[in-house]
């Protein structure tokens, strides 16, 4: 299993996807997990796209999510 870890996307979907693409997340053929260590939203303008992407990954059983301080706010 391969783990990909991201932190603090803050609503910047395009930048998050680019980072995942650069790390090989979308090309990985084996079992994988996306570990997100909080702060999905609160700054960028693409919050809806991030939420949709995370819901898709969660439904596929690929998401591990740790709540960040911005979610607590």
């Amino acid at each position: 299993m391969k783990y990909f870890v991201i932190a603090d996307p803050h609503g910047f979907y395009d930048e998050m996807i680019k980072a995942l693409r650069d790390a090989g997340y979308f090309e990985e053929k084996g079992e994988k997990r996306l570990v997100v260590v909080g702060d999905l939203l609160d700054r960028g303008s693409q919050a809806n796209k991030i939420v949709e992407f995370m819901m898709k990954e969660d439904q596929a059983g690929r998401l591990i999510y740790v709540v960040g301080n911005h979610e607590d706010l």
Side-chain angles (χ1 to χ4, degrees):
M1 167 132 15
K2 191 163 185 177
Y3 291 87
F4 296 82
V5 181
I6 62 171
D8 302 281
H10 284 292
F12 293 98
Y13 175 82
D14 291 340
E15 290 83 351
M16 179 190 72
I17 293 299
K18 181 182 183 321
L20 289 172
R21 188 172 290 119
D22 290 348
Y25 182 76
F26 299 105
E27 292 77 24
E28 179 61 39
K29 300 297 182 215
E31 195 170 347
K32 64 185 174 187
R33 296 290 182 273
L34 176 59
V35 181
V36 181
V37 291
D39 297 350
L40 285 179
L41 313 174
D42 192 33
R43 293 197 174 119
S45 63
Q46 298 174 304
N48 289 341
K49 290 175 95 172
I50 284 190
V51 170
E52 289 171 8
F53 176 79
M54 293 301 165
M55 288 174 63
K56 183 182 108 182
E57 295 306 291
D58 186 44
Q59 290 169 350
R62 294 187 292 256
L63 181 65
I64 299 171
Y65 183 71
V66 179
V67 175
N69 64 312
H70 284 254
E71 281 78 32
D72 286 339
L73 296 173

